[in-house]
Amino acid sequence: MIREGSEQNMVKYRQAVWDEPLLIELSRKGRVGYSLPKIPEKITEQIDDQSRLIPSAMTRSSELELPEMSEPEVLRHYVRLSQMNFAIDVGMYPLGSCTMKYNPKVSQRIARNPNIANLHPYQDADTIQGILSILFELERMLCEIAGMHSFSVQPAAGAQGEYVGALIIRNYLRDQGLECKKEILVPDSAHGTNPASAAMAGFKVVKIPSSATGIVTAEAVKPLVTEKTAGMMLTVPNTLGIFESEIREVTNIVHDSRGLMYYDGANMNALLGRVRPGDMGFDVVHINVHKTFATPHGGGGPGAGPVGVTEKLSEYLPIPRVTSSNGAYNLEYNKSKSVGQIKSFVGNTAVLLRAYCYILSLGREGLKLASEQAVLSSNYLLSLLDRQSFSPTTSNGIPAKHEFVVSESPLKKKTGVSAGDVAKAILDQGMHSPTTYFPLIVNEALMIEPTETETLENLEAYAKTLNSISKKSNEDKDTVLASPHSTAIGKLDEVRASHPNTMILNWKGILKSQQPV
Ligand SMILES: *Cc1c(COP(=O)(O)O)cnc(C)c1O
């Protein structure tokens, strides 16, 4: 799919990156960005003595080549680079399924608090009572929010939470003498991590086809459930942004065959304070706190995917468990049924701390309001879109939840402008594109999740942008196809940009890319 004009764009890309000089090029011998008192001779002598202990074969013979720069030059370099990027703190970022929420600055401040940030993971439990009490309380809060018996905050991401959940299901069934149960049912609308996690835990994945209205029906599930069925993974609301209305029937079918129900709660934004997976009959759940409870997580991290379970599964949670007795908190490793330690130490504490702040600062009513506003924003934005170009995947009057998916196929058929092209054109308006081409069951999918904090004006501006791109595609599609025009880097050739022969990974690559490829 090398596009027309891609050669120019590749040149433009090199130019943009090339125009921003590299640190090594800005460097001038002897230029410094610090002013420190001179090191006393006695100390330099000591350092020299110590260095002599290093075998000469291991010491460098020439000086380390590092950029030498003044402080303002370094600052300007990084600020210029940051301005070539997009962030939630710059504009609307409605990346469906990823939930790019506004990250309250108070949580950031608390996560940076040196009393917490400087703790060492090998400190004795009696010296880290504060953070242990926070993790313990957070587990209790998540139990209440999800309606589960116990939680472990250890998993470092949603995918890792799913893997832990799948291991718990596997080990529990094994202990029940149900080793014949080797299959996990996963809907075709699921996030790709679901089948991957189940497969990593040793299960065979059986795909459930979604109904015409985009949900998992009892009718579709019934014929797939056998004595081999270990369980089912279900995302609610599903990735089309629709509530799974046949949960009870589906759960009964799986439980009747002694399988377990797994709830993918990566995004709980539509449900906070309203319904709980535990009450719906789920046995295992994970929540992406970096999505649902805010945390900056661009570019793939950092995250945390706590896992919650019902009482009969609680002994299987990962170790160490954060425990409390007589007002003292401890880390307990001695749990014979546990699936083991899944992540170093207790988990991504900085992310967990932000989730704790978010939950506490919003409170019971605030969380309910956040989910209400997330759902309202999503439905309002959907109602403003031009349906001739963006066809909704919710039908029969079913409202969308915190996010919605439209198919851009009508516009593509008429003009040749694809969902990917629309996404690039949005960037020219200073807004981030939605998730594109996911879920896989929708052609030319645009998945939009505005979140709870966008103002009415922002929602209207986003709809206006999409509608005007549709209008422009009909009038002057070449301009749309060549977007973005206003970003630091124009449209890339997706194949060349990611092909090992043409990919540029470091400054040596940029130098090489000056030569014809
Ligand atoms: C994001 C997401 C995941 C995976 O979570 P990671 O933290 O990225 O591993 C799983 N399921 C759904 C529905 C998601 O949106």
Side-chain angles (χ1 to χ4, degrees):
M1 49 180 280
I2 292 183
R3 290 176 203 275
E4 228 177 297
S6 58
E7 196 67 41
Q8 287 104 295
N9 283 324
M10 207 59 197
V11 170
K12 228 169 105 185
Y13 168 67
R14 282 181 199 151
Q15 207 57 48
V17 180
W18 186 248
D19 282 350
E20 177 58 41
L22 305 167
L23 289 180
I24 206 86
E25 294 172 307
L26 291 169
S27 171
R28 293 293 175 274
K29 192 96 196 122
R31 191 169 283 168
V32 289
Y34 59 84
S35 74
L36 294 172
K38 202 167 151 32
I39 305 173
E41 225 162 79
K42 227 175 84 191
I43 295 183
T44 49
E45 275 165 21
Q46 276 173 11
I47 294 172
D48 284 345
D49 281 350
Q50 303 255 330
S51 344
R52 270 190 282 279
L53 296 174
I54 303 170
S56 58
M58 287 182 167
T59 60
R60 70 174 57 249
S61 51
S62 61
E63 232 170 73
L64 186 60
E65 214 184 307
L66 290 176
E68 297 177 65
M69 306 175 68
S70 72
E71 181 175 305
E73 288 297 292
V74 176
L75 188 75
R76 285 176 185 161
H77 176 77
Y78 285 109
V79 171
R80 278 198 303 270
L81 286 183
S82 77
Q83 287 173 340
M84 292 165 80
N85 214 337
F86 191 89
I88 184 73
D89 290 347
V90 172
M92 198 164 150
Y93 206 140
L95 201 61
S97 201
C98 300
T99 317
M100 302 301 277
K101 279 193 177 194
Y102 174 69
N103 308 120
K105 296 303 166 234
V106 62
S107 317
Q108 306 291 75
R109 257 182 98 166
I110 291 170
R112 265 205 305 265
N113 182 325
N115 291 335
I116 294 172
N118 295 344
L119 293 179
H120 195 280
Y122 279 126
Q123 271 176 248
D124 289 337
D126 59 354
T127 68
I128 51 168
Q129 288 292 299
I131 190 72
L132 291 184
S133 75
I134 288 173
L135 297 178
F136 184 85
E137 278 178 33
L138 178 61
E139 289 186 355
R140 297 316 310 155
M141 290 173 183
L142 294 176
C143 283
E144 165 135 11
I145 288 168
M148 302 310 275
H149 176 272
S150 1
F151 251 89
S152 162
V153 292
Q154 195 180 78
Q160 202 179 33
E162 292 167 23
Y163 176 59
V164 169
L167 289 180
I168 290 175
I169 292 175
R170 186 191 72 186
N171 290 7
Y172 171 78
L173 292 173
R174 183 196 59 204
D175 292 352
Q176 299 295 307
L178 294 170
E179 266 142 345
C180 59
K181 293 195 164 294
K182 295 251 180 263
E183 296 180 355
I184 292 239
L185 308 185
V186 180
D188 56 6
S189 60
H191 197 275
T193 50
N194 285 194
S197 307
M200 273 179 71
F203 289 110
K204 183 179 161 228
V205 176
V206 177
K207 189 153 89 174
I208 315 167
S210 299
S211 73
T213 53
I215 63 161
V216 170
T217 60
E219 198 190 338
V221 170
K222 224 176 224 150
L224 300 176
V225 173
T226 67
E227 77 280 354
K228 286 197 204 146
T229 306
M232 177 194 294
M233 297 177 90
L234 202 57
T235 306
V236 191
N238 67 25
T239 59
L240 291 164
I242 307 174
F243 192 80
E244 289 285 353
S245 52
E246 294 194 22
I247 289 178
R248 184 161 313 209
E249 293 84 342
V250 167
T251 305
N252 285 343
I253 297 170
V254 173
H255 281 161
D256 285 348
S257 81
R258 301 187 71 190
L260 297 177
M261 288 296 291
Y262 185 98
Y263 184 103
D264 179 336
N267 197 317
M268 288 268 295
N269 225 22
L271 306 186
L272 294 173
R274 290 169 191 277
V275 286
R276 311 193 304 169
D279 301 336
M280 297 179 210
F282 286 89
D283 305 281
V284 188
V285 49
H286 89 267
I287 300 178
N288 279 18
V289 300
H290 49 289
K291 294 178 182 172
T292 306
F293 302 117
T295 253
H297 66 276
V307 173
V309 293
T310 54
E311 189 167 3
K312 69 179 180 205
L313 302 175
S314 62
E315 288 299 307
Y316 292 86
L317 285 171
I319 48 166
R321 301 283 300 125
V322 186
T323 57
S324 156
S325 71
N326 301 328
Y329 298 92
N330 221 327
L331 288 172
E332 200 178 323
Y333 284 84
N334 194 11
K335 292 267 178 199
S336 61
K337 283 194 177 161
S338 166
V339 296
Q341 184 151 11
I342 215 77
K343 156 105 180 68
S344 52
F345 311 110
V346 287
N348 268 342
T349 44
V351 177
L352 297 165
L353 192 57
R354 289 187 185 98
Y356 179 77
C357 294
Y358 183 87
I359 295 171
L360 273 188
S361 54
L362 266 72
R364 211 178 282 269
E365 290 308 310
L367 288 179
K368 258 174 109 164
L369 192 62
S371 85
E372 182 176 296
Q373 288 186 353
V375 173
L376 267 178
S377 300
S378 145
N379 282 284
Y380 182 52
L381 180 45
L382 173 60
S383 76
L384 298 175
L385 293 186
D386 168 10
R387 297 192 174 214
Q388 304 298 317
S389 302
F390 308 108
S391 159
T393 50
T394 46
S395 55
N396 305 336
I398 304 173
K401 287 283 179 267
H402 60 288
E403 63 193 1
F404 64 87
V405 179
V406 290
S407 167
E408 187 264 6
S409 274
L411 185 62
K412 184 169 179 196
K413 279 202 194 104
K414 205 161 153 215
T415 64
V417 172
S418 70
D421 298 323
V422 170
K424 298 293 179 200
I426 293 172
L427 300 176
D428 277 331
Q429 303 307 315
M431 298 161 174
H432 200 278
S433 56
T435 296
T436 52
Y437 301 107
F438 181 76
L440 304 176
I441 53 173
V442 176
N443 285 329
E444 300 299 319
L446 291 174
M447 183 189 213
I448 306 183
E449 180 180 3
T451 79
E452 70 270 21
T453 49
E454 292 304 336
T455 61
L456 277 184
E457 292 79 9
N458 287 349
L459 298 172
E460 285 159 4
Y462 205 81
K464 200 169 151 207
T465 294
L466 276 165
N467 293 340
S468 65
I469 292 169
S470 136
K471 192 157 170 267
K472 186 96 183 161
S473 303
N474 282 297
E475 292 161 359
D476 170 20
K477 72 169 182 190
D478 290 337
T479 307
V480 178
L481 288 174
S483 11
H485 303 277
S486 64
T487 51
I489 290 169
K491 190 175 222 156
L492 296 184
D493 179 317
E494 287 163 18
V495 176
R496 286 166 146 244
S498 57
H499 190 280
N501 289 349
T502 44
M503 185 157 51
I504 301 170
L505 289 177
N506 59 21
W507 61 277
K508 285 179 185 150
I510 294 179
L511 294 181
K512 212 170 97 196
S513 75
Q514 296 304 297
Q515 297 149 16
V517 276

